[in-house]
Amino acid sequence: MELLLQFLSNTGFYLADYRNFIMLAIGSLFVYLAIAKQYEPLLLLPIGFGVLIGNIPFFKGFGLGIYESNSVLHYLYFGVTSGLYPSIVFLGLGAMTDFSSLLARPKLMLLGAASQTGIWATLLCAMALGFMPKEAASIAIIGGADGPTSIFLTAKLAPHLIGPIAIAAYSYMALIPIIQPPIMRLLTTREERIIRMPEPRSISKKELMVFPVIGLFLCCFLAPASIPLLGPFFFGNIMKESGVVDRLANTARTAVIDTATIFLGLTVGASTQGDVFLNPKSVSIFLLGAVAFSIATASGIIFAKIMNFFMKEKINPLLGAAGVSAVPGSAREVHLVGLKEDPTNFLLMHAMACNSSGVIGSAICAGILWSFMAS
Amino acid sequence: MYGLEAISAHNGWAMAIIGPLIVMSGLTILSIIISQLHKLVAIFDKKAEQTTEPLVEIKDEISVPKILPNDILETAKIYQMLIEKLEQPFELSDLYQIAEQNSFPHPILTVSRLRDAGILIREGEGLFIWNR
């Protein structure tokens, strides 16, 4: 009888508290959104299921939880805390990215730079709310709308905030179809939304091959702290463009990135244990994340409108919203909003140019923030 | 510490000014360089042409326009030539590969558009068919 009682006192039913149930509900919501609504399922399903795994109550000391040093989850979580998974994701991302539209219209790169304003505005907001500088920098990077970059910087500056920051970053990436279109419509007129972009010039294979080398040199010399992200990114891209290692490029953009995404999502989800995750700081982080993402979207659009004052050939300001680095979600959204106004106006290719420059821009911002905080 | 006092104490104003300036100037320089890249490549190509004997030009099996049309049906007609080389159903990676081999512009984006337009139809287990 005593053995039975002892066993019962070690079950999840006995050990559970209300925080576990709140997180289990959130995890279930993510799984539902991923499967039923297909909101970024590649991200939300692993994270949602990870939240479920991480919030099943267990007997501490058995080496089961993600924060217990000898647990399997802890070993898998090492890829997050060390910044390993984000680097691998960037490798795959580089091997997927086609820079031809950006090379054809380099001006669009400025929209990717302008959208990073969300990061810097949020840095100030977070500091004003009482976060320490390293925490504020980790929260601010959510404005880049780049999950791996957010996780990477947070792992380096404020590892105790990885859970809420990663969840906030990925949630807002999944919520792009809800957050971005109203901002786009609010800041643009119909006349602006129907501006057609001219066909881009064709890009030679040589240009595509030279770009990753130039990009690596310039960006990493400027912000060496971004090497762990941009190094693999441009390496993945040169593998793709050179055409001499197709097998490696193909592996990087399929098996390698998929494996990293699975473990990244699952362990980030599992790191949101109710007792660690549910606190006022997490709520502030979610609010600041929304601010960061909205400012990033708005600043890209506004910058495009400012550019139009000085340019003969007008840019469709919707493209500014794709300056955040949520690839390809924000580009797709720009394309869809454009299509709603004019079903024959295809903006996707141009939006992808802004999107890929946003990836580079947010990684540079992460490098700059890291060096600011280190100094 | 909260508010403006916290921002000043942590050097926030300086970071929020210098940070975006660095990003903006970095990406501006990069965009200027890449806008001139084709000229640079052309110079090297000319030099290479002068120093090497003219190569026998191998004609592609498929003639590809430098820019694909905006109309998805027109684009589909061009992609039809590739599809005929594949067995139905096929994997998208095979289509990407054959498109890249034939120097089709933006194959990933185009395939995505073809999927959105219902021309490429998912058949399950990672395979797709072409909606004729």
Side-chain angles (χ1 to χ4, degrees):
Chain A
M1 190 63 185
E2 195 182 324
L3 189 66
L4 182 65
L5 285 174
Q6 191 189 348
F7 172 76
L8 286 175
S9 67
N10 286 344
T11 62
F13 298 108
Y14 181 83
L15 296 167
D17 76 9
Y18 73 97
R19 289 171 297 190
N20 294 117
F21 289 113
I22 294 173
M23 290 312 296
L24 288 173
I26 293 173
S28 306
L29 177 71
F30 279 14
V31 172
Y32 168 77
L33 289 175
I35 295 172
K37 302 283 179 188
Q38 299 207 347
Y39 282 170
E40 298 284 348
L42 293 176
L43 303 173
L44 281 192
L45 190 60
I47 291 177
F49 211 82
V51 174
L52 299 183
I53 291 173
N55 281 283
I56 293 172
F58 58 88
F59 187 75
K60 298 255 167 38
F62 269 23
L64 298 171
I66 201 162
Y67 297 112
E68 292 187 297
S69 60
N70 52 348
S71 72
V72 174
L73 280 174
H74 185 77
Y75 287 120
L76 292 176
Y77 194 47
F78 173 76
V80 174
T81 52
S82 61
L84 180 66
Y85 295 149
S87 291
I88 297 174
V89 170
F90 263 71
L91 176 75
L93 210 56
M96 278 180 194
T97 307
D98 181 0
F99 279 114
S100 50
S101 48
L102 181 64
L103 290 174
R105 194 163 279 275
K107 278 172 198 157
L108 295 181
M109 191 170 252
L110 299 182
L111 299 181
S115 293
Q116 309 312 319
T117 309
I119 293 176
W120 304 101
T122 312
L123 177 74
L124 295 180
C125 294
M127 281 181 178
L129 284 177
F131 283 97
M132 295 309 290
K134 286 184 178 178
E135 292 177 333
S138 305
I139 296 166
I141 201 73
I142 298 174
D146 193 331
T149 306
S150 304
I151 292 170
F152 178 81
L153 188 68
T154 311
K156 300 296 170 197
L157 296 180
H160 57 289
L161 295 181
I162 283 184
I165 287 177
I167 298 286
Y170 279 118
S171 304
Y172 291 125
M173 282 170 73
L175 292 174
I176 283 173
I178 296 167
I179 299 174
Q180 285 202 314
I183 301 172
M184 290 187 218
R185 278 191 282 268
L186 184 74
L187 294 176
T188 54
T189 61
R190 187 175 183 278
E191 286 68 34
E192 286 172 327
R193 290 197 288 272
I194 58 172
I195 292 176
R196 278 173 182 267
M197 299 293 292
E199 277 297 323
R201 68 177 175 89
S202 66
I203 298 297
S204 71
K205 199 77 186 160
K206 280 180 190 161
E207 282 177 81
L208 287 167
M209 272 191 283
V210 175
F211 176 70
V213 180
I214 293 175
L216 174 77
F217 283 155
L218 190 71
C219 300
C220 294
F221 269 92
L222 187 69
S226 61
I227 293 172
L229 296 174
L230 289 179
F233 181 69
F234 286 121
F235 172 55
N237 193 249
I238 202 166
M239 282 201 293
K240 171 184 177 282
E241 299 301 350
S242 64
V244 292
V245 284
D246 276 344
R247 227 175 63 203
L248 300 188
N250 199 38
T251 309
R253 67 172 158 254
T254 52
V256 170
I257 192 171
D258 288 349
T259 310
T261 305
I262 289 170
F263 289 127
L264 180 70
L266 195 70
T267 50
V268 160
S271 71
T272 61
Q273 285 178 10
D275 50 344
V276 181
F277 187 79
L278 286 178
N279 54 51
K281 263 192 178 175
S282 300
V283 178
S284 311
I285 289 169
F286 266 80
L287 292 176
L288 285 167
V291 170
F293 199 66
S294 306
I295 295 176
T297 303
S299 51
I301 296 170
I302 293 167
F303 193 79
K305 292 171 78 139
I306 295 171
M307 279 172 76
N308 280 346
F309 280 120
F310 303 100
M311 288 169 56
K312 269 187 194 167
E313 208 173 64
K314 305 289 179 202
I315 293 173
N316 188 318
L318 290 177
L319 295 175
V324 297
S325 74
V327 180
S330 54
R332 196 171 48 214
E333 216 45 53
V334 165
H335 179 65
L336 291 176
V337 173
L339 278 185
K340 262 185 195 168
E341 299 294 344
D342 176 0
T344 59
N345 192 6
F346 299 101
L347 294 172
L348 186 63
M349 220 175 277
H350 310 285
M352 283 302 289
C354 304
N355 233 186
S356 40
S357 73
V359 174
I360 299 171
S362 64
I364 294 177
C365 281
I368 294 170
L369 280 168
W370 191 7
S371 27
F372 278 171
M373 297 304 152
S375 59
Chain B
M1 208 186 308
Y2 293 94
L4 298 180
E5 194 190 351
I7 297 173
S8 305
H10 298 311
N11 214 11
W13 298 117
M15 286 186 211
I17 293 168
I18 296 169
L21 278 179
I22 297 172
V23 182
M24 187 54 90
S25 48
L27 291 186
T28 306
I29 294 168
L30 187 58
S31 71
I32 292 169
I33 292 172
I34 61 176
S35 68
Q36 303 303 316
L37 203 57
H38 62 287
K39 291 179 189 165
L40 212 77
V41 170
I43 292 169
F44 282 113
D45 277 350
K46 260 190 186 174
K47 273 198 174 173
E49 266 174 32
Q50 283 166 359
T51 52
T52 54
E53 285 178 23
L55 293 169
V56 179
E57 206 172 286
I58 301 163
K59 207 178 177 184
D60 282 341
E61 282 181 40
I62 295 172
S63 67
V64 188
K66 284 182 179 172
I67 297 162
L68 288 175
N70 256 343
D71 183 354
I72 191 68
L73 291 176
E74 290 298 317
T75 306
K77 274 182 198 167
I78 298 166
Y79 262 68
Q80 178 78 33
M81 294 183 287
L82 290 182
I83 299 297
E84 280 164 9
K85 289 188 164 192
L86 295 169
E87 276 183 29
Q88 302 250 13
F90 50 85
E91 290 187 12
L92 283 190
S93 56
D94 292 338
L95 182 55
Y96 288 134
Q97 202 175 0
I98 194 170
E100 283 198 344
Q101 278 167 1
N102 288 284
S103 304
F104 272 55
H106 317 295
I108 294 177
L109 292 174
T110 312
V111 168
S112 162
R113 281 180 60 203
L114 290 168
R115 283 183 65 183
D116 290 343
I119 294 166
L120 272 174
I121 300 170
R122 184 195 290 270
E123 218 199 30
E125 295 182 359
L127 296 173
F128 285 78
I129 54 166
W130 185 256
N131 181 1
R132 286 166 195 277

